[in-house]
Amino acid sequence: MTKVLIFDPQIGGHHLDYVRRIFDALYTDFHVIISTNNRLKDTTEFSMYFSDRINNLTYDLFPPLDTSGFMFFFRSYFQLIKAIHKNKPDVVFLPYADGISYIIGLFNCFYFMPKKIRYFGIMMRNDFAYQSRIHFTTKLKLFLLEKSPFNCLFWLDSEAVLWFASNRKKLALVSKVLYEPCNTQSPISRKEACSLFGVNMDRRYIGIAGVIDPRKGINLLLDSIKSSFLPDDVCLFLAGRFDPQVLDLVYSQYKELLDCGKIHVINKVLSETELTGALCLMDVVCATYVNHAGSSGIVSLAMQMRKFIVGPDLGWLGRNLKIYDRSVVYHTIDTIIPSIIEALHKSSLNCLSPSSSNLISPPPCFEAIIRAEVLENKGF
C-alpha cells in the first residue's frame, strides 16, 4: 500500500486541525504515517481531533525541536530527512510548508532531497501577491521555492496562484488554491451562546476567537475597550488558547476591566461547538490583524455565518472584506474605534440571528481537494 508521511513538527494553532483533515482525506486509500513531536498525545487538541481515530493512527514521534526562528526550519528539515529514511514513504505532505519549503529548495539545489517521492505542502504566507515592489528576501524565497521538488503547493489565498500565473510560471504549474476549512457546526441562538459561556445577555460583545496571539492585534482591542469612546454596554470577548504574553498583558494591565465584566477571557482550546458559539455571541467580530497579509480561518467562518466584521485593508483580509456586505474596513489604527462603532450600529439594525437561511455557502471541501490532487499526482 502506498505510504504517505504527514510531517508536522509544530503542534498548535491551525496545524493539528490541518493534520486531522489531511489524514481524513487520505487514510482510506493510503497507509498514513503522522510524523510529529512526541508532545502530541499530551495536547488538548489531540484528544479533540483524534480520539475517535486512535485505532487508525500510525506515528513517528521525535523530541520537540526546541529552537525558534529560521533555525527551527533547518532542524525541521533534518528531522524530515530522518523521517523519510526511517519510514520510506511514497508521498510526503507538509501541513505547514512555510519556512521549511525554502530550506528544502536550498538543499534540493545540491540534490540532497530523496528522489522518487511526491511532495505536497500547504502555504499560508503570500505577502508577495500584495506587494507593489518585491524585496530581495522575497525574491530569494521564491527562487528557493522554485528549486524545491514539490509536485503541488496548496495556497490558502487565490491571489497567490493568480500572481504566479503572471510572474512565476514554474510555480504556477505546481500551485493550486485550497480554501480555509470551515466549521460544519450549526449556529446557535445568542441566548444559547450567552448561556454556554456564562455571560450577560444584556450586553453587546466585540471580540475574536481561536488562537489569541499578538498577530491578531489583541492590544488594539484591549485599548479600544479601555477607551471612553465605545458605548457603556459594549464588552470585549476573547475566547481561545491564549499566547502567554497576551494573557499576562490582560491580567497585569486590564485587571480592573476583567473584574467589572468589561473584558471576558475564555482561555482554552475551543471545540468546534464552542468556536461557533463564540461567534454567535459576538455582535462584531474584530479581525485587527497586524502585518498579516495571509488568510484567516476565523474570518472565513465569520463570513460564512454572516457576522459583522471589522478588519484592516491589508492583504487577503482587505480584499475579501471589501466585497463582503457586513464589514467595516479601516485603513489606519486611529480609525479602529470609529470602525467598531459603525459596525455595532449596523449590527443593531440587523437583529437576525444566524440560521440556515442566511448563511453563505461553505467553500469547496478542503479534504476533497487534497484527496483528488494526491490521487492524481500519485504517479506510481
Side-chain angles (χ1 to χ4, degrees):
M1 194 174 190
T2 302
K3 284 186 183 179
V4 175
L5 180 73
I6 301 175
F7 179 77
D8 188 14
Q10 41 191 342
I11 294 302
H14 291 288
H15 308 301
L16 199 51
D17 183 27
Y18 289 167
V19 171
R20 185 271 308 261
R21 291 176 183 274
I22 296 166
F23 174 82
D24 286 351
L26 301 177
Y27 85 95
T28 55
D29 297 289
F30 303 91
H31 175 205
V32 180
I33 303 164
I34 298 176
S35 182
T36 187
N37 80 64
N38 56 23
R39 290 179 188 162
L40 171 67
K41 294 183 180 180
D42 298 328
T43 63
T44 306
E45 293 100 317
F46 174 78
S47 58
M48 186 180 297
Y49 290 125
F50 285 105
S51 59
D52 57 346
R53 298 165 174 81
I54 193 72
N55 295 328
N56 298 317
L57 296 179
T58 302
Y59 301 102
D60 172 34
L61 300 178
F62 51 84
L65 307 178
D66 292 323
T67 55
S68 59
F70 222 67
M71 281 306 299
F72 175 82
F73 298 119
F74 271 99
R75 291 197 65 185
S76 296
Y77 165 79
F78 290 113
Q79 186 60 53
L80 171 61
I81 297 301
K82 288 181 183 178
I84 290 174
H85 288 312
K86 177 182 176 181
N87 297 286
K88 297 178 172 51
D90 305 292
V91 174
V92 169
F93 206 118
L94 305 179
Y96 185 69
D98 297 81
I100 190 175
S101 57
Y102 311 130
I103 310 302
I104 289 173
L106 173 64
F107 282 98
N108 198 48
C109 291
F110 304 100
Y111 306 101
F112 289 160
M113 286 302 297
K115 307 301 180 186
K116 297 182 180 180
I117 293 176
R118 300 281 168 166
Y119 294 92
F120 298 82
I122 298 176
M123 301 290 288
M124 301 182 192
R125 298 180 182 177
N126 59 296
D127 303 39
F128 55 84
Y130 297 97
Q131 293 174 353
S132 56
R133 179 173 171 269
I134 305 300
H135 302 292
F136 172 76
T137 52
T138 303
K139 289 180 180 178
L140 178 59
K141 289 177 181 178
L142 292 173
F143 169 79
L144 293 174
L145 208 53
E146 287 180 324
K147 296 297 182 182
S148 67
F150 286 97
N151 296 86
C152 183
L153 285 169
F154 296 100
W155 297 84
L156 297 176
D157 187 350
S158 59
E159 203 68 16
V161 178
L162 292 172
W163 189 88
F164 288 142
S166 301
N167 299 278
R168 297 272 177 161
K169 301 296 184 183
K170 185 175 180 180
L171 287 174
L173 293 174
V174 298
S175 293
K176 189 177 184 68
V177 179
L178 182 67
Y179 299 91
E180 282 275 6
C182 271
N183 196 328
T184 56
Q185 296 290 315
S186 298
I188 60 177
S189 69
R190 192 171 187 278
K191 181 178 180 180
E192 290 173 308
C194 289
S195 176
L196 178 65
F197 293 106
V199 298
N200 191 336
M201 191 175 171
D202 296 330
R203 300 289 185 93
R204 289 186 290 171
Y205 296 93
I206 63 172
I208 192 70
V211 177
I212 309 298
D213 59 19
R215 178 178 55 96
K216 292 184 177 176
I218 304 302
N219 61 309
L220 301 175
L221 290 178
L222 292 167
D223 289 341
S224 297
I225 206 70
K226 191 175 184 179
S227 75
S228 59
F229 297 105
L230 291 179
D232 292 338
D233 66 332
V234 175
C235 300
L236 177 61
F237 185 79
L238 302 173
R241 188 185 57 212
F242 273 67
D243 178 280
Q245 178 185 348
V246 175
L247 194 63
D248 181 64
L249 174 67
V250 173
Y251 280 99
S252 63
Q253 298 187 27
Y254 299 88
K255 190 173 187 307
E256 186 177 324
L257 295 175
L258 277 167
D259 294 341
C260 71
K262 286 288 283 183
I263 297 176
H264 293 270
V265 167
I266 309 294
N267 180 24
K268 60 177 291 190
V269 177
L270 301 178
S271 67
E272 289 191 348
T273 300
E274 290 169 326
L275 185 63
T276 301
L279 292 180
C280 290
L281 172 72
M282 296 176 202
D283 297 271
V284 175
V285 176
C286 296
T288 50
Y289 285 83
V290 180
N291 298 325
H292 178 75
S295 63
S296 166
I298 195 66
V299 172
S300 294
L301 179 57
M303 291 172 69
Q304 186 193 344
M305 292 175 61
R306 301 288 289 142
K307 300 299 296 185
F308 287 88
I309 305 171
V310 169
D313 184 10
L314 178 66
W316 181 94
L317 276 171
R319 181 169 63 84
N320 284 277
L321 290 181
K322 281 188 286 189
I323 58 175
Y324 176 63
D325 63 341
R326 294 191 176 190
S327 69
V328 178
V329 179
Y330 61 85
H331 299 277
T332 64
I333 290 176
D334 296 339
T335 57
I336 289 178
I337 293 177
S339 297
I340 292 174
I341 293 172
E342 182 182 346
L344 284 166
H345 177 65
K346 289 181 176 180
S347 175
S348 67
L349 296 177
N350 190 320
C351 299
L352 289 175
S353 297
S355 68
S356 58
S357 62
N358 64 4
L359 295 180
I360 293 177
S361 298
C365 180
F366 184 96
E367 292 89 340
I369 293 173
I370 286 175
R371 183 175 181 275
E373 195 66 31
V374 174
L375 285 172
E376 182 179 330
N377 281 280
K378 196 167 59 171
F380 303 108

